[in-house]
Amino acid sequence: MARKRSEITEILREMGALKPADAQKATDEAAKTRKPLHEVLLDLKLASEEDVTKALAMQYDMEYIDLDKNALAVSSVGLIPPDLIRKHMVLPLDKRDGVLRIVIGDPTDIDTIDALKFRLNTKIETCLAVKSKIKHQIDRMFSAEKASIDEAVRRASSIDRGASMDRGSSIDRGTSIDVKSLGDDAPIVKLVSAIITEAVKSRASDIHLEPMKDRVRVRYRIDGVCVERDNIPKRMQAPVTARLKIMAGMDIAEKRLPQDGRIKMPIDETNIDFRVSMLPGYHGESCVLRILRPDNVKIGVQAMGFEEEDYNKFKRIISRPNGIFLVTGPTGSGKTTTLYGALQELNKPDRKIITAEDPVEYNFPGINQCQVREQIGLTFAKILRSMLRQAPNIILVGEIRDLEVAEVAIQAALTGHLVFSTLHTNDAPSAITRLIDMGVKPFLVASSIQAVMAQRLIRILCEKCKAPDPEPDRKFLSILGITDRELQGRTLYKPVGCANCNGTGYRGRKGIFEMMTMNNEVRELAFKRAPSNLIRKAARASGMKGLLDDGKTKILNGVTTAAEIARVTQAEGIVAD
């Protein structure tokens, strides 16, 4: 009999794997989001996946299987059809006295168990294992069936040599192969699918296919850093490009102008969107695929990396009835994810939310999303004006690009709407001066802006291989202003590298933030057109922490390294390797 279905937080506390404050935080978040408590614990990274799984096994009185120590017998693989193993992410253990024992990752998934009982027509006994280890085991089981990129390249290399380009030419002249007529088994089709699939499984955010003089370079951007994967022979450039254009709904005959498109394809039972960009270059068309994962923007605001003080400020600001909240930072710093996180917190039946985006990357139920189409005159400003006639409570403007959009957004804020938007500045105080430089009247900036938040994304150390660093690099500590006094009683960590992080020592990213709330002094400086350094000084005096301060906190807490913070914030005195 289960132990009276004790709360998983209680079991984890008894195990010593969860702090009381974290238990309360998870309980509050679960009540607010209506997500299962064990999922919230994992989303907020309050406990390890292994500890949560062990606690679930105790909670539901199930046997826990450590797949690192218990190798599955080869004979057991045939007990469940491969399509069911892949679809339901389960593993067969053995069959005794007519009872099939299987390994699952979620004891609350009753639908999967019922579906398997119906399909297999047998009694089932369930054991529990870490979900990520089940997935890894399944990938290994069926790896022989999946052609690697190297194999796909080798097979595709046998395509008609007539498709190859003149190596002395600087223009992609196309291919003699009728790419539209290729079936799913064609080598080029398999190669493109293999590249996309591997990138998704490697947690890449972008795929770069870059034509060079004698080859096509393939790179994945993983945790914000480009990693070179492989080179494709030059003669395969044209058919690979044509295949991607067909998948993205582009004109395969147009090679002189940039094109944009989208691809949707299933990978491991999940439909994933790709935003595709083609750009003509000297050696042919360069292609970039941005991988859009809905789960990335549904992680919850606190899991983005907010420290407690900034998280509380953030919640207070987004709860206000009107005003503008700006998020600033360079491209790829997570601004869209932060704004979507705020909208998810506010997305309730009693509120109407409208967004103007270019492009709409993620679709959310309950939010009215509008796509900017410059070619037909549907601009940010035009959408914004129409929005106000739709009586929304909350408005999101993808980006404030010019004076017209800024003025309409400010007018919306002053007439009782809460407006979220982004701006490309390096820090929070510079957003004030940027708006004034655009031509917005200083008194409008001072009265409409509620807060500005600058952010960056930093790589976080791999939990499986990070190691204490007894001799941290003093150069980085000195540049970041970390003193010996601050290091007392703290353990700094360094990257090591393992299979879990592909040898980099880092896995995943979190944000570092600079939150500037508008007070009387800052508003007065904005009204007087004060330079950003004076605005920064006033904001710091009122308690604003800079990006480096937030980064230092994460270094001292063992989340990341001083070298990573210095790299991302481009701290003064850092010279790139």
Side-chain angles (χ1 to χ4, degrees):
M1 189 73 183
R3 34 183 302 174
K4 296 182 181 178
R5 287 288 185 268
S6 300
E7 285 284 3
I8 189 171
T9 48
E10 183 184 330
I11 299 171
L12 284 166
R13 285 177 60 186
E14 290 174 7
M15 291 167 56
L18 187 67
K19 298 174 184 175
D22 289 342
Q24 188 59 49
K25 188 187 297 181
T27 303
D28 293 344
E29 184 71 13
K32 185 167 61 178
T33 60
R34 297 183 181 179
K35 289 176 70 174
L37 199 49
H38 65 276
E39 289 184 15
V40 171
L41 288 164
L42 294 174
D43 288 346
L44 298 181
K45 292 183 169 52
L46 298 175
S48 71
E49 190 180 8
E50 191 161 354
D51 286 337
V52 169
T53 308
K54 286 178 180 176
L56 281 171
M58 294 171 67
Q59 185 183 27
Y60 286 87
D61 198 21
M62 296 172 67
E63 182 183 354
Y64 172 76
I65 304 290
D66 187 345
L67 291 175
D68 289 336
K69 298 176 182 177
N70 295 275
L72 297 181
V74 176
S75 59
S76 69
V77 176
L79 293 173
I80 301 179
D83 64 312
L84 291 184
I85 292 177
R86 288 194 186 99
K87 181 179 180 181
H88 297 296
M89 296 296 291
V90 296
L91 288 169
L93 268 181
D94 52 43
K95 194 168 186 177
R96 300 175 186 169
D97 302 324
V99 178
L100 174 65
R101 289 204 309 155
I102 63 170
V103 181
I104 62 174
D106 185 355
T108 65
D109 190 2
I110 306 299
D111 291 341
T112 290
I113 298 167
D114 288 343
L116 287 171
K117 284 179 181 176
F118 177 77
R119 176 82 182 267
L120 301 173
N121 194 25
T122 187
K123 290 182 180 178
I124 288 177
E125 182 183 315
T126 54
C127 305
L128 206 59
V130 175
K131 194 178 287 187
S132 62
K133 291 182 181 180
I134 293 175
K135 184 180 183 305
H136 179 65
Q137 191 90 343
I138 291 171
D139 288 342
R140 286 179 56 193
M141 284 169 57
F142 297 107
S143 60
E145 298 178 13
K146 299 177 181 178
S148 66
I149 290 184
D150 301 317
E151 178 66 14
V153 169
R154 187 186 66 77
R155 290 182 180 179
S157 293
S158 63
I159 63 173
D160 185 359
R161 297 276 175 165
S164 66
M165 290 172 46
D166 176 7
R167 291 177 184 262
S169 171
S170 64
I171 299 174
D172 183 1
R173 296 185 179 180
T175 173
S176 61
I177 294 178
D178 182 6
V179 185
K180 289 184 178 179
S181 66
L182 294 176
D184 290 342
D185 293 330
I188 288 296
V189 174
K190 283 189 171 181
L191 171 60
V192 172
S193 294
I195 290 171
I196 292 174
T197 301
E198 185 185 65
V200 171
K201 290 186 175 180
S202 300
R203 301 178 299 105
S205 59
D206 302 88
I207 306 169
H208 298 260
L209 289 95
E210 303 159 318
M212 306 181 85
K213 183 179 179 181
D214 56 351
R215 60 195 169 97
V216 178
R217 182 167 67 173
V218 179
R219 295 194 291 173
Y220 303 150
R221 189 179 293 277
I222 301 172
D223 293 335
V225 177
C226 280
V227 178
E228 191 160 344
R229 169 57 179 88
D230 212 340
N231 293 316
I232 296 175
K234 186 69 174 177
R235 65 179 178 275
M236 293 163 57
Q237 175 180 324
V240 165
T241 302
R243 172 62 185 166
L244 286 166
K245 283 183 176 180
I246 289 167
M247 293 173 72
M250 298 179 185
D251 181 358
I252 63 171
E254 180 56 76
K255 301 183 174 87
R256 298 167 300 172
L257 295 173
Q259 294 189 72
D260 294 308
R262 290 186 85 130
I263 295 172
K264 179 175 279 191
M265 64 181 286
I267 295 175
D268 287 346
E269 306 296 331
T270 303
N271 279 326
I272 295 183
D273 277 336
F274 302 84
R275 199 175 75 207
V276 187
S277 171
M278 288 283 178
L279 180 68
Y282 185 75
H283 293 295
E285 292 174 283
S286 171
C287 180
V288 176
L289 289 84
R290 165 64 59 90
I291 302 171
L292 306 174
R293 294 180 173 88
D295 290 344
N296 283 9
V297 290
K298 294 179 181 176
I299 59 173
V301 171
Q302 194 162 11
M304 295 174 189
F306 282 107
E307 299 300 324
E308 195 66 36
E309 183 183 348
D310 281 342
Y311 177 58
N312 290 332
K313 279 185 185 177
F314 184 86
K315 285 202 301 183
R316 283 198 302 271
I317 290 160
I318 67 174
S319 300
R320 293 178 182 177
N322 63 343
I324 295 180
F325 177 50
L326 289 175
V327 180
T328 76
T331 301
S333 58
K335 300 188 296 295
T336 302
T337 301
T338 298
L339 290 180
Y340 277 144
L343 292 187
Q344 279 184 276
E345 293 257 329
L346 300 169
N347 188 13
K348 302 289 190 297
D350 61 338
R351 296 189 181 107
K352 179 162 184 174
I353 303 174
I354 306 181
T355 74
E357 303 171 63
D358 184 19
V360 174
E361 293 188 348
Y362 302 97
N363 181 252
F364 291 93
I367 297 177
N368 303 277
Q369 296 172 270
C370 191
Q371 168 85 49
V372 170
R373 298 184 189 278
E374 299 275 358
Q375 64 272 26
I376 62 170
L378 189 60
T379 61
F380 273 120
K382 198 163 190 175
I383 293 171
L384 262 175
R385 288 194 178 92
S386 298
M387 269 186 190
L388 299 179
R389 294 193 287 272
Q390 296 275 316
N393 301 102
I394 299 161
I395 293 170
L396 182 144
V397 186
E399 182 185 346
I400 293 179
R401 296 177 177 175
D402 52 41
L403 176 59
E404 187 180 13
V405 175
E407 285 181 333
V408 180
I410 286 172
Q411 196 60 44
L414 294 175
T415 53
H417 303 86
L418 182 60
V419 180
F420 294 98
S421 192
T422 67
L423 203 61
H424 286 283
T425 61
N426 287 329
D427 60 8
S430 298
I432 304 297
T433 54
R434 173 66 58 85
L435 287 171
I436 294 171
D437 289 343
M438 277 184 185
V440 180
K441 292 180 175 60
F443 77 89
L444 289 176
V445 174
S447 57
S448 63
I449 304 293
Q450 294 288 353
V452 184
M453 186 174 76
Q455 68 177 71
R456 301 289 188 278
L457 288 177
I458 58 162
R459 293 181 296 169
I460 58 177
L461 288 164
C462 174
E463 289 294 333
K464 291 191 180 295
C465 68
K466 71 177 185 181
D469 189 358
E471 297 181 1
D473 193 322
R474 290 284 167 181
K475 178 184 75 171
F476 290 117
L477 296 180
S478 173
I479 289 169
L480 296 175
I482 297 176
T483 63
D484 289 337
R485 184 177 178 182
E486 289 174 308
L487 290 174
Q488 285 180 1
R490 301 277 190 172
T491 302
L492 300 191
Y493 289 85
K494 62 182 178 181
V496 177
C498 65
N500 185 54
C501 58
N502 294 325
T504 63
Y506 297 92
R507 184 180 173 92
R509 289 191 291 174
K510 280 191 174 182
I512 53 173
F513 305 94
E514 178 179 85
M515 180 80 74
M516 183 182 80
T517 53
M518 298 290 282
N519 56 28
N520 290 336
E521 189 177 355
V522 174
R523 291 186 197 280
E524 186 68 26
L525 288 170
F527 183 72
K528 292 179 178 177
R529 296 177 181 263
S532 60
N533 62 323
L534 292 182
I535 297 174
R536 166 171 283 279
K537 189 175 178 181
R540 296 277 288 185
S542 65
M544 180 186 82
K545 290 195 308 179
L547 289 169
L548 277 178
D549 298 320
D550 198 20
K552 280 168 61 175
T553 302
K554 288 177 170 59
I555 295 166
L556 297 173
N557 289 341
V559 175
T560 189
T561 63
E564 177 67 9
I565 295 296
R567 178 186 72 84
V568 171
T569 59
Q570 299 176 354
E572 190 176 342
I574 294 296
V575 179
D577 293 333

PDB file of all heavy atoms in Angstrom, residues 275-301:
ATOM      1  N   ARG A 275      12.417  28.180 -38.059  1.00  0.00           N
ATOM      2  CA  ARG A 275      12.352  29.388 -38.866  1.00  0.00           C
ATOM      3  C   ARG A 275      13.586  29.390 -39.765  1.00  0.00           C
ATOM      4  O   ARG A 275      14.722  29.323 -39.268  1.00  0.00           O
ATOM      5  CB  ARG A 275      12.339  30.621 -37.958  1.00  0.00           C
ATOM      6  CG  ARG A 275      11.827  31.879 -38.645  1.00  0.00           C
ATOM      7  CD  ARG A 275      11.726  33.020 -37.664  1.00  0.00           C
ATOM      8  NE  ARG A 275      13.030  33.564 -37.337  1.00  0.00           N
ATOM      9  CZ  ARG A 275      13.327  34.169 -36.192  1.00  0.00           C
ATOM     10  NH1 ARG A 275      12.412  34.271 -35.269  1.00  0.00           N
ATOM     11  NH2 ARG A 275      14.518  34.660 -35.958  1.00  0.00           N
ATOM     12  N   VAL A 276      13.366  29.464 -41.073  1.00  0.00           N
ATOM     13  CA  VAL A 276      14.454  29.274 -42.039  1.00  0.00           C
ATOM     14  C   VAL A 276      14.762  30.593 -42.739  1.00  0.00           C
ATOM     15  O   VAL A 276      13.856  31.306 -43.172  1.00  0.00           O
ATOM     16  CB  VAL A 276      14.080  28.205 -43.090  1.00  0.00           C
ATOM     17  CG1 VAL A 276      15.270  27.889 -43.988  1.00  0.00           C
ATOM     18  CG2 VAL A 276      13.581  26.933 -42.403  1.00  0.00           C
ATOM     19  N   SER A 277      16.048  30.905 -42.851  1.00  0.00           N
ATOM     20  CA  SER A 277      16.489  32.117 -43.542  1.00  0.00           C
ATOM     21  C   SER A 277      17.548  31.750 -44.578  1.00  0.00           C
ATOM     22  O   SER A 277      18.524  31.064 -44.255  1.00  0.00           O
ATOM     23  CB  SER A 277      17.069  33.119 -42.536  1.00  0.00           C
ATOM     24  OG  SER A 277      17.682  34.203 -43.215  1.00  0.00           O
ATOM     25  N   MET A 278      17.336  32.191 -45.813  1.00  0.00           N
ATOM     26  CA  MET A 278      18.306  32.001 -46.889  1.00  0.00           C
ATOM     27  C   MET A 278      18.907  33.356 -47.255  1.00  0.00           C
ATOM     28  O   MET A 278      18.167  34.329 -47.469  1.00  0.00           O
ATOM     29  CB  MET A 278      17.635  31.407 -48.133  1.00  0.00           C
ATOM     30  CG  MET A 278      17.240  29.955 -48.002  1.00  0.00           C
ATOM     31  SD  MET A 278      18.652  28.860 -48.166  1.00  0.00           S
ATOM     32  CE  MET A 278      17.838  27.266 -47.905  1.00  0.00           C
ATOM     33  N   LEU A 279      20.224  33.416 -47.328  1.00  0.00           N
ATOM     34  CA  LEU A 279      20.898  34.671 -47.663  1.00  0.00           C
ATOM     35  C   LEU A 279      21.955  34.415 -48.742  1.00  0.00           C
ATOM     36  O   LEU A 279      22.897  33.646 -48.510  1.00  0.00           O
ATOM     37  CB  LEU A 279      21.566  35.257 -46.416  1.00  0.00           C
ATOM     38  CG  LEU A 279      22.313  36.584 -46.617  1.00  0.00           C
ATOM     39  CD1 LEU A 279      21.317  37.703 -46.933  1.00  0.00           C
ATOM     40  CD2 LEU A 279      23.134  36.922 -45.386  1.00  0.00           C
ATOM     41  N   PRO A 280      21.803  35.034 -49.933  1.00  0.00           N
ATOM     42  CA  PRO A 280      22.800  34.828 -50.995  1.00  0.00           C
ATOM     43  C   PRO A 280      24.165  35.373 -50.576  1.00  0.00           C
ATOM     44  O   PRO A 280      24.256  36.437 -49.948  1.00  0.00           O
ATOM     45  CB  PRO A 280      22.233  35.642 -52.169  1.00  0.00           C
ATOM     46  CG  PRO A 280      20.794  35.837 -51.857  1.00  0.00           C
ATOM     47  CD  PRO A 280      20.698  35.893 -50.368  1.00  0.00           C
ATOM     48  N   GLY A 281      25.204  34.619 -50.896  1.00  0.00           N
ATOM     49  CA  GLY A 281      26.564  35.043 -50.576  1.00  0.00           C
ATOM     50  C   GLY A 281      27.501  34.758 -51.735  1.00  0.00           C
ATOM     51  O   GLY A 281      27.076  34.294 -52.806  1.00  0.00           O
ATOM     52  N   TYR A 282      28.766  35.039 -51.532  1.00  0.00           N
ATOM     53  CA  TYR A 282      29.745  34.906 -52.614  1.00  0.00           C
ATOM     54  C   TYR A 282      29.876  33.466 -53.090  1.00  0.00           C
ATOM     55  O   TYR A 282      30.023  33.196 -54.279  1.00  0.00           O
ATOM     56  CB  TYR A 282      31.106  35.427 -52.133  1.00  0.00           C
ATOM     57  CG  TYR A 282      32.152  35.454 -53.213  1.00  0.00           C
ATOM     58  CD1 TYR A 282      32.135  36.436 -54.203  1.00  0.00           C
ATOM     59  CD2 TYR A 282      33.152  34.487 -53.268  1.00  0.00           C
ATOM     60  CE1 TYR A 282      33.082  36.460 -55.204  1.00  0.00           C
ATOM     61  CE2 TYR A 282      34.109  34.505 -54.269  1.00  0.00           C
ATOM     62  CZ  TYR A 282      34.071  35.501 -55.231  1.00  0.00           C
ATOM     63  OH  TYR A 282      35.018  35.511 -56.222  1.00  0.00           O
ATOM     64  N   HIS A 283      29.821  32.509 -52.146  1.00  0.00           N
ATOM     65  CA  HIS A 283      29.989  31.097 -52.502  1.00  0.00           C
ATOM     66  C   HIS A 283      28.667  30.346 -52.560  1.00  0.00           C
ATOM     67  O   HIS A 283      28.651  29.118 -52.589  1.00  0.00           O
ATOM     68  CB  HIS A 283      30.922  30.407 -51.500  1.00  0.00           C
ATOM     69  CG  HIS A 283      32.336  30.890 -51.564  1.00  0.00           C
ATOM     70  ND1 HIS A 283      33.140  30.699 -52.672  1.00  0.00           N
ATOM     71  CD2 HIS A 283      33.084  31.570 -50.672  1.00  0.00           C
ATOM     72  CE1 HIS A 283      34.325  31.232 -52.444  1.00  0.00           C
ATOM     73  NE2 HIS A 283      34.322  31.766 -51.240  1.00  0.00           N
ATOM     74  N   GLY A 284      27.551  31.062 -52.580  1.00  0.00           N
ATOM     75  CA  GLY A 284      26.248  30.412 -52.634  1.00  0.00           C
ATOM     76  C   GLY A 284      25.375  30.866 -51.477  1.00  0.00           C
ATOM     77  O   GLY A 284      25.757  31.733 -50.686  1.00  0.00           O
ATOM     78  N   GLU A 285      24.209  30.284 -51.371  1.00  0.00           N
ATOM     79  CA  GLU A 285      23.245  30.702 -50.357  1.00  0.00           C
ATOM     80  C   GLU A 285      23.556  30.090 -48.991  1.00  0.00           C
ATOM     81  O   GLU A 285      23.688  28.874 -48.858  1.00  0.00           O
ATOM     82  CB  GLU A 285      21.832  30.313 -50.783  1.00  0.00           C
ATOM     83  CG  GLU A 285      21.325  31.090 -51.987  1.00  0.00           C
ATOM     84  CD  GLU A 285      19.989  30.577 -52.459  1.00  0.00           C
ATOM     85  OE1 GLU A 285      19.960  29.518 -53.109  1.00  0.00           O
ATOM     86  OE2 GLU A 285      18.967  31.236 -52.186  1.00  0.00           O
ATOM     87  N   SER A 286      23.650  30.980 -48.004  1.00  0.00           N
ATOM     88  CA  SER A 286      23.835  30.545 -46.621  1.00  0.00           C
ATOM     89  C   SER A 286      22.459  30.311 -46.003  1.00  0.00           C
ATOM     90  O   SER A 286      21.535  31.093 -46.213  1.00  0.00           O
ATOM     91  CB  SER A 286      24.591  31.620 -45.844  1.00  0.00           C
ATOM     92  OG  SER A 286      24.601  31.333 -44.463  1.00  0.00           O
ATOM     93  N   CYS A 287      22.337  29.243 -45.232  1.00  0.00           N
ATOM     94  CA  CYS A 287      21.038  28.889 -44.641  1.00  0.00           C
ATOM     95  C   CYS A 287      21.167  28.779 -43.123  1.00  0.00           C
ATOM     96  O   CYS A 287      22.106  28.160 -42.620  1.00  0.00           O
ATOM     97  CB  CYS A 287      20.542  27.565 -45.218  1.00  0.00           C
ATOM     98  SG  CYS A 287      18.946  27.045 -44.549  1.00  0.00           S
ATOM     99  N   VAL A 288      20.232  29.403 -42.414  1.00  0.00           N
ATOM    100  CA  VAL A 288      20.171  29.277 -40.959  1.00  0.00           C
ATOM    101  C   VAL A 288      18.778  28.827 -40.561  1.00  0.00           C
ATOM    102  O   VAL A 288      17.783  29.404 -40.999  1.00  0.00           O
ATOM    103  CB  VAL A 288      20.502  30.615 -40.260  1.00  0.00           C
ATOM    104  CG1 VAL A 288      20.335  30.474 -38.744  1.00  0.00           C
ATOM    105  CG2 VAL A 288      21.923  31.062 -40.582  1.00  0.00           C
ATOM    106  N   LEU A 289      18.706  27.787 -39.758  1.00  0.00           N
ATOM    107  CA  LEU A 289      17.435  27.290 -39.230  1.00  0.00           C
ATOM    108  C   LEU A 289      17.387  27.583 -37.734  1.00  0.00           C
ATOM    109  O   LEU A 289      18.234  27.081 -36.979  1.00  0.00           O
ATOM    110  CB  LEU A 289      17.271  25.784 -39.448  1.00  0.00           C
ATOM    111  CG  LEU A 289      17.033  25.292 -40.873  1.00  0.00           C
ATOM    112  CD1 LEU A 289      18.354  25.128 -41.625  1.00  0.00           C
ATOM    113  CD2 LEU A 289      16.316  23.939 -40.856  1.00  0.00           C
ATOM    114  N   ARG A 290      16.465  28.426 -37.299  1.00  0.00           N
ATOM    115  CA  ARG A 290      16.251  28.683 -35.871  1.00  0.00           C
ATOM    116  C   ARG A 290      15.266  27.647 -35.351  1.00  0.00           C
ATOM    117  O   ARG A 290      14.164  27.508 -35.878  1.00  0.00           O
ATOM    118  CB  ARG A 290      15.711  30.103 -35.672  1.00  0.00           C
ATOM    119  CG  ARG A 290      15.120  30.397 -34.301  1.00  0.00           C
ATOM    120  CD  ARG A 290      16.101  30.316 -33.161  1.00  0.00           C
ATOM    121  NE  ARG A 290      17.211  31.237 -33.301  1.00  0.00           N
ATOM    122  CZ  ARG A 290      17.202  32.477 -32.831  1.00  0.00           C
ATOM    123  NH1 ARG A 290      16.125  32.949 -32.226  1.00  0.00           N
ATOM    124  NH2 ARG A 290      18.268  33.240 -32.943  1.00  0.00           N
ATOM    125  N   ILE A 291      15.686  26.891 -34.346  1.00  0.00           N
ATOM    126  CA  ILE A 291      14.852  25.819 -33.786  1.00  0.00           C
ATOM    127  C   ILE A 291      13.962  26.416 -32.700  1.00  0.00           C
ATOM    128  O   ILE A 291      14.453  26.961 -31.709  1.00  0.00           O
ATOM    129  CB  ILE A 291      15.729  24.687 -33.215  1.00  0.00           C
ATOM    130  CG1 ILE A 291      16.647  24.138 -34.310  1.00  0.00           C
ATOM    131  CG2 ILE A 291      14.865  23.569 -32.635  1.00  0.00           C
ATOM    132  CD1 ILE A 291      17.702  23.167 -33.805  1.00  0.00           C
ATOM    133  N   LEU A 292      12.657  26.323 -32.905  1.00  0.00           N
ATOM    134  CA  LEU A 292      11.688  26.917 -31.982  1.00  0.00           C
ATOM    135  C   LEU A 292      11.036  25.817 -31.148  1.00  0.00           C
ATOM    136  O   LEU A 292      10.212  25.056 -31.639  1.00  0.00           O
ATOM    137  CB  LEU A 292      10.623  27.689 -32.761  1.00  0.00           C
ATOM    138  CG  LEU A 292      11.147  28.761 -33.731  1.00  0.00           C
ATOM    139  CD1 LEU A 292      10.005  29.346 -34.539  1.00  0.00           C
ATOM    140  CD2 LEU A 292      11.882  29.853 -32.977  1.00  0.00           C
ATOM    141  N   ARG A 293      11.445  25.722 -29.898  1.00  0.00           N
ATOM    142  CA  ARG A 293      10.892  24.707 -29.001  1.00  0.00           C
ATOM    143  C   ARG A 293       9.889  25.371 -28.056  1.00  0.00           C
ATOM    144  O   ARG A 293      10.274  26.215 -27.249  1.00  0.00           O
ATOM    145  CB  ARG A 293      11.990  24.061 -28.174  1.00  0.00           C
ATOM    146  CG  ARG A 293      12.987  23.233 -28.965  1.00  0.00           C
ATOM    147  CD  ARG A 293      14.010  22.654 -27.986  1.00  0.00           C
ATOM    148  NE  ARG A 293      14.910  21.725 -28.618  1.00  0.00           N
ATOM    149  CZ  ARG A 293      16.042  22.080 -29.211  1.00  0.00           C
ATOM    150  NH1 ARG A 293      16.376  23.354 -29.271  1.00  0.00           N
ATOM    151  NH2 ARG A 293      16.836  21.178 -29.746  1.00  0.00           N
ATOM    152  N   PRO A 294       8.615  24.984 -28.120  1.00  0.00           N
ATOM    153  CA  PRO A 294       7.618  25.583 -27.219  1.00  0.00           C
ATOM    154  C   PRO A 294       7.979  25.413 -25.746  1.00  0.00           C
ATOM    155  O   PRO A 294       7.693  26.289 -24.932  1.00  0.00           O
ATOM    156  CB  PRO A 294       6.328  24.830 -27.564  1.00  0.00           C
ATOM    157  CG  PRO A 294       6.537  24.336 -28.961  1.00  0.00           C
ATOM    158  CD  PRO A 294       8.006  24.048 -29.074  1.00  0.00           C
ATOM    159  N   ASP A 295       8.627  24.294 -25.392  1.00  0.00           N
ATOM    160  CA  ASP A 295       8.956  24.057 -23.985  1.00  0.00           C
ATOM    161  C   ASP A 295       9.938  25.092 -23.450  1.00  0.00           C
ATOM    162  O   ASP A 295       9.980  25.363 -22.251  1.00  0.00           O
ATOM    163  CB  ASP A 295       9.563  22.656 -23.803  1.00  0.00           C
ATOM    164  CG  ASP A 295       8.527  21.565 -24.020  1.00  0.00           C
ATOM    165  OD1 ASP A 295       7.327  21.901 -23.999  1.00  0.00           O
ATOM    166  OD2 ASP A 295       8.906  20.403 -24.206  1.00  0.00           O
ATOM    167  N   ASN A 296      10.754  25.677 -24.340  1.00  0.00           N
ATOM    168  CA  ASN A 296      11.759  26.645 -23.909  1.00  0.00           C
ATOM    169  C   ASN A 296      11.137  27.900 -23.316  1.00  0.00           C
ATOM    170  O   ASN A 296      11.754  28.586 -22.504  1.00  0.00           O
ATOM    171  CB  ASN A 296      12.665  27.031 -25.078  1.00  0.00           C
ATOM    172  CG  ASN A 296      13.684  25.956 -25.378  1.00  0.00           C
ATOM    173  OD1 ASN A 296      13.618  24.867 -24.828  1.00  0.00           O
ATOM    174  ND2 ASN A 296      14.626  26.252 -26.248  1.00  0.00           N
ATOM    175  N   VAL A 297       9.942  28.271 -23.784  1.00  0.00           N
ATOM    176  CA  VAL A 297       9.312  29.486 -23.284  1.00  0.00           C
ATOM    177  C   VAL A 297       8.193  29.174 -22.294  1.00  0.00           C
ATOM    178  O   VAL A 297       7.426  30.045 -21.936  1.00  0.00           O
ATOM    179  CB  VAL A 297       8.764  30.348 -24.451  1.00  0.00           C
ATOM    180  CG1 VAL A 297       9.899  30.944 -25.234  1.00  0.00           C
ATOM    181  CG2 VAL A 297       7.843  29.553 -25.350  1.00  0.00           C
ATOM    182  N   LYS A 298       8.118  27.924 -21.847  1.00  0.00           N
ATOM    183  CA  LYS A 298       7.098  27.545 -20.873  1.00  0.00           C
ATOM    184  C   LYS A 298       7.728  27.021 -19.592  1.00  0.00           C
ATOM    185  O   LYS A 298       7.144  26.225 -18.880  1.00  0.00           O
ATOM    186  CB  LYS A 298       6.175  26.470 -21.469  1.00  0.00           C
ATOM    187  CG  LYS A 298       5.350  26.991 -22.654  1.00  0.00           C
ATOM    188  CD  LYS A 298       4.461  25.904 -23.235  1.00  0.00           C
ATOM    189  CE  LYS A 298       3.656  26.427 -24.418  1.00  0.00           C
ATOM    190  NZ  LYS A 298       2.849  25.391 -25.059  1.00  0.00           N
ATOM    191  N   ILE A 299       8.942  27.485 -19.316  1.00  0.00           N
ATOM    192  CA  ILE A 299       9.666  26.945 -18.175  1.00  0.00           C
ATOM    193  C   ILE A 299       9.287  27.630 -16.868  1.00  0.00           C
ATOM    194  O   ILE A 299       9.670  27.182 -15.802  1.00  0.00           O
ATOM    195  CB  ILE A 299      11.197  27.066 -18.388  1.00  0.00           C
ATOM    196  CG1 ILE A 299      11.592  28.532 -18.593  1.00  0.00           C
ATOM    197  CG2 ILE A 299      11.656  26.205 -19.527  1.00  0.00           C
ATOM    198  CD1 ILE A 299      13.090  28.763 -18.638  1.00  0.00           C
ATOM    199  N   GLY A 300       8.525  28.718 -16.943  1.00  0.00           N
ATOM    200  CA  GLY A 300       8.187  29.452 -15.729  1.00  0.00           C
ATOM    201  C   GLY A 300       9.192  30.561 -15.486  1.00  0.00           C
ATOM    202  O   GLY A 300      10.387  30.402 -15.750  1.00  0.00           O
ATOM    203  N   VAL A 301       8.709  31.679 -14.971  1.00  0.00           N
ATOM    204  CA  VAL A 301       9.550  32.868 -14.826  1.00  0.00           C
ATOM    205  C   VAL A 301      10.728  32.616 -13.897  1.00  0.00           C
ATOM    206  O   VAL A 301      11.865  32.962 -14.198  1.00  0.00           O
ATOM    207  CB  VAL A 301       8.706  34.054 -14.323  1.00  0.00           C
ATOM    208  CG1 VAL A 301       9.589  35.233 -13.954  1.00  0.00           C
ATOM    209  CG2 VAL A 301       7.709  34.472 -15.394  1.00  0.00           C
TER     210      VAL A 301
END
